[in-house]
Amino acid sequence: MNKLPFLIAAFVLQCTAVAAQELYMPRNIQNAVKKGTRTTNGLPGANYWQNRGVYVINATVNTAEKSVSGSEKISYSNNSPDTLKSVVIRFINNIHKPEAPRAGQVPADFLTFGLKILGFVVNGERYTINSDDWGTANPVKLYTPLLPRSTAEFEIEWSYPLSKLSGREGQIDPNTFFCAYFYPRISVYDDYNGWDLLPHTDGGEFYNDFNDYTVSVKVPTNYVVWATGTLENAKEVLQPAAFKRFRESMNSNKVIHVATAKDMEQGAVTNFSEWNEWKFTARNVTDFTFATSNHFVWDAGSVALADGNGLKRVSVQAAYKDTAGDFRNYVEWTKYAIRWYSDNLPGINYPYPTMTAIQGYADMEYPMMVNDASLRDLMDSRLTVDHEVAHTYFPFYMGINETRYAFMDEGWATTFEYLIGISENGKHTADSAFKSFRIKNWINNPATEMDQPLITMSSQLSGAGYGRNSYGKASLSYLALKDLLGDMPFKKALISYINNWNGKHPVPWDYFYSINAAAKQDLTWFWQNWFFSNNYIDLKIKEARQGTHNTTITLENTGGFAVPFDVILKLENGKEKSFHYTPAIWKNKEKTVTFSVPSNGKIEQVTIDGGIFMDATPADNTYRL
């Protein structure tokens, strides 16, 4: 037997292991790897676990008092190997309490007195709870600890006022309410941090377990309810004509006007009962949200997606003021986005049965729902819904910890928004919009907070620093990877990552190692460059010399990011030749590279063009010979 190939293979594996160890990993993630819940091969560990709940919620909206009250039963499964001596109850809307820590100043209309716990029972034992001092994350010591791999039954009664100032949730108008984060929930207990105790400050976003929901929402007559999941009793709450239109929309390629402004005004939509109870179900989702109005119009249709069992229909709905011109297009726009994302990138079928858009103020995503402002610029409005629908995959299907790692979801949604924008508006327009909205304010601002490493925990960033890392810079890292790997290998690697971690809670290192494994490359150099550095984008042509058959260029990477670029040669006769270079040119971590491109005829000028990878000092991207 010839041992040489085996010795070579062993040496390569050893070198790969050493290279992988170069990637900084915080101690808590290292401990998760040691415990076997995470791995360095991109897969969840053999000992991976996550907790979950089954929620049965009955909520009532008091439209006169502008408040929500309710009761819930939570069957909470502790799948961890740990005995839980306490539980953390999270209620995001306590952000409205005057004493709550917040990312910025708020007006008086934002403030409320917050959550009131009216009853709290665990496994039949009643607790005395004073929620007056509660924030957004609140530990409750258990009378009886919850043992590993066991279940506890929680019963909670509660009420809270809807903030007059609507953002992510609250009063959209005096008779329209967006009720997000409306119920007390059990916070995440995970394998790398234990209880998630980070307060919500209204700057960052969220981290939730995958749960099952059965929810009823009680509202006065003529109020329609739209929510996460599937409406289970449409026939009971809708008048026959409205129910017929709603049912038709479930299998229609057209936009059906389930309720027009006139229908709503005449009370011709909902059941005539003084109160109607709307019932919804949603399975294996990270949150549940609803909205209600007595005057919003209601459009609906559906989009057919091919899957292994034939065709799957996704119900697409929109609710809005009759004066909102852009929302008249929302059903069609959303259908297009769902199909495009399913067929192109990420290339995985939209995983849920519905998607509903509500006209509000937040430009914010929720499982199977979006809350978008109405805009006059139709292209901007469409890109907004593209972005929010893209969040279906990140953070919802993938269970991202947005509070700590916002770049893992906002960066992807920004990337998909850009790519679908090319199909909708053409590359020139998409590039211009991306640079103007996502990149320009970062690359043209030399302030220290602009160039914090992407891996920096989002909860440790604020203001512009948070925004730059979460959106534009993160998106460029994903687009640079796409350029490096090539379109199809990139898509294959992305799908592998999603297949590994959907329905779970990936952290950045799970992403890095999943891509490494799928691409069959050690990309440590790329992750170091893009995620663990203070780099920015700044290339400079130091020299260009024309030879007989080629032009030699010396390029300095002043900013440090491994970015793709085009070399454009302008000939004396006015013609141009272009050559593309992927980020691989920076793989050896050199600050300066020298390379040659073919050239015939007199060259007047050499230009480096990064396209959407905007340069901090574009003046030195051109060299005249």
Side-chain angles (χ1 to χ4, degrees), residues 243-256:
F243 172 69
K244 182 181 178 182
R245 293 191 293 269
F246 175 72
R247 185 174 58 182
E248 181 185 354
S249 76
M250 293 293 170
N251 292 293
S252 176
N253 293 323
K254 301 183 298 181
V255 177
I256 306 296

Side-chain angles (χ1 to χ4, degrees), residues 176-234:
T176 304
F177 315 107
F178 198 93
C179 302
Y181 330 117
F182 69 95
Y183 60 99
R185 65 183 306 141
I186 297 177
S187 192
V188 177
Y189 184 83
D190 63 31
D191 64 305
Y192 62 95
N193 270 323
W195 284 113
D196 177 28
L197 287 163
L198 285 177
H200 176 65
T201 62
D202 211 35
E205 296 184 3
F206 311 99
Y207 182 37
N208 297 313
D209 277 325
F210 287 87
N211 303 311
D212 294 340
Y213 291 90
T214 300
V215 180
S216 73
V217 180
K218 194 174 179 182
V219 291
T221 189
N222 212 38
Y223 276 83
V224 175
V225 178
W226 302 271
T228 295
T230 301
L231 175 60
E232 299 290 358
N233 67 332

Side-chain angles (χ1 to χ4, degrees), residues 108 187 195 269 332 510 538:
S187 192
W195 284 113
V269 180
E332 288 294 353
D510 301 317
D538 188 7

Side-chain angles (χ1 to χ4, degrees), residues 57-88:
I57 304 173
N58 297 293
T60 299
V61 180
N62 187 320
T63 57
E65 295 182 0
K66 320 300 186 193
S67 66
V68 179
S69 61
S71 63
E72 61 187 308
K73 293 183 179 180
I74 310 168
S75 180
Y76 180 72
S77 296
N78 175 20
N79 298 318
S80 81
D82 306 323
T83 296
L84 304 181
K85 296 180 180 180
S86 63
V87 66
V88 176

